[in-house]
Amino acid sequence: MKRLTALLSAAFCTFALIGCTPKEPSVEITDDVNFELLDVMTITNDESNSIYYYYMAQISNDSKETYTTDEVIYSITDQGNDEINPIDEHESMPISTVLPEQTAYIYGYIGFPNSNQEDMGFYFNGIDQFISFESVNIRIADNHDIQDSDQLKFTIYEDNALKIVVDATQCDATFENGTTTLSNFIITYTNKTEQQIAVPYFEPQATLKGLDLDDFTSLGDFSKMNEEEIKDIDFTQNSLEPKTSEIKGEAYGYVVEYLDPEQSIDCNVGFTFENAAINYKSGTENCFDLDLVSRAFGVTHSMEVSSSDQKAS
């Protein structure tokens, strides 16, 4: 009986050791060129039954030859179920060649219907190798973690690794040559850790509740006017206030995919509204609606920005 117990104990210990073997975050994809997973963040949305994986990896070229990143061919799969179809995905690999002794970064995200994936990760078909996302410490978030506020500056998201602050208190609105520009909407990303981390994406959007200048071409050539000139124009028609339109802006100046250790970045986001102007004579204060949209979190945060004195209050 004692011998049987000893054998069972030995077998259990062997199984435990095998089962607890840590998964490796890197693989050699060709001679002296390694692919290493650095960070993964998941965002689960219970309302849409979806899950997003944000990831960051690097390719290290330890060879004496230049490596072409076009040769990196992989898919993101579930080891337990390869037949899964993403609902949204994006990948960024900024450089196409990696010089000897240099590295290149890969950032991306992929979203799926949440069907209890077992072991997501990178599968390299050409070499039949798999890197599990679970080989790193996955940061976990869900749609309930987004904060809301009626303030123009507040922390919209924070966990142990990442803090995201939005600030619309310094927004400026200007007009020049037929275009209204709203600038100085700041999104600040802060990495609270000592490692590189992937950053979830928020899409900034803006709407101007103002004047579509295509409706007032008889009043002059707006493409040649500055702000003071357009302020002097009376847009009333037949003693009636001019029609106000909702005009979508084009965002610019915002790209953050990952952060270096303890790095903080202020992203100055602006919006342009072509052939559009504020109705300066109306006295309307909140004529800009700013939205932050996240497909992963499944929410839209909205804030109204004042145009009085061309400053957000």
Side-chain angles (χ1 to χ4, degrees), residues 43-283:
I43 300 175
T44 303
N45 188 325
D46 296 330
E47 294 179 2
S48 63
N49 191 36
S50 64
I51 183 168
Y52 273 67
Y53 295 81
Y54 287 81
Y55 58 83
M56 181 183 178
Q58 72 176 12
I59 299 172
S60 301
N61 183 4
D62 297 323
S63 73
K64 296 181 180 181
E65 304 292 333
T66 298
Y67 180 75
T68 302
T69 55
D70 292 341
E71 299 177 20
V72 185
I73 301 175
Y74 61 81
S75 57
I76 297 179
T77 66
D78 183 353
Q79 280 288 76
N81 176 19
D82 290 337
E83 300 300 323
I84 49 180
N85 298 313
I87 55 176
D88 188 19
E89 58 185 323
H90 165 75
E91 180 193 86
S92 174
M93 193 182 301
I95 62 176
S96 58
T97 58
V98 189
L99 298 176
E101 307 302 324
Q102 298 295 314
T103 60
Y105 292 105
I106 296 172
Y107 162 87
Y109 61 79
I110 189 165
F112 298 98
N114 190 10
S115 54
N116 299 316
Q117 285 80 6
E118 296 179 8
D119 193 5
M120 297 293 297
F122 292 96
Y123 176 68
F124 302 87
N125 187 50
I127 57 175
D128 192 25
Q129 293 289 328
F130 180 75
I131 298 179
S132 172
F133 283 156
E134 294 179 359
S135 63
V136 297
N137 184 24
I138 298 177
R139 298 181 289 122
I140 299 174
D142 63 41
N143 57 297
H144 304 292
D145 293 327
I146 290 294
Q147 302 301 308
D148 202 0
S149 173
D150 58 3
Q151 301 299 308
L152 292 182
K153 182 178 180 179
F154 70 99
T155 299
I156 192 170
Y157 177 82
E158 185 171 15
D159 60 18
N160 292 333
L162 175 66
K163 182 178 181 180
I164 304 175
V165 177
V166 295
D167 183 359
T169 60
Q170 302 301 315
C171 286
D172 290 321
T174 59
F175 177 87
E176 187 73 26
N177 300 331
T179 298
T180 292
T181 300
L182 181 69
S183 58
N184 295 331
F185 175 49
I186 308 297
I187 307 175
T188 301
Y189 293 87
T190 302
N191 180 359
K192 299 159 62 175
T193 77
E194 297 180 355
Q195 68 179 53
Q196 292 168 312
I197 61 172
V199 173
Y201 183 68
F202 286 85
E203 179 184 352
Q205 299 177 357
T207 302
L208 166 61
K209 293 174 286 187
L211 305 177
D212 184 341
L213 297 180
D214 289 334
D215 295 336
F216 304 95
T217 55
S218 62
L219 298 180
D221 186 355
F222 302 109
S223 67
K224 297 179 180 179
M225 294 184 187
N226 59 32
E227 190 167 85
E228 293 305 315
E229 289 172 323
I230 201 167
K231 281 183 177 180
D232 290 337
I233 295 178
D234 184 1
F235 285 92
T236 59
Q237 297 177 325
N238 300 321
S239 300
L240 298 175
E241 283 296 314
K243 173 187 175 183
T244 298
S245 301
E246 292 192 354
I247 304 154
K248 297 294 184 182
E250 184 73 25
Y252 65 88
Y254 171 65
V255 176
V256 173
E257 297 181 333
Y258 66 88
L259 294 172
D260 288 330
E262 299 180 339
Q263 182 181 27
S264 184
I265 295 179
D266 291 333
C267 303
N268 192 326
V269 185
F271 305 89
T272 56
F273 304 85
E274 299 288 342
N275 300 316
I278 295 169
N279 185 4
Y280 293 98
K281 294 184 181 298
S282 71

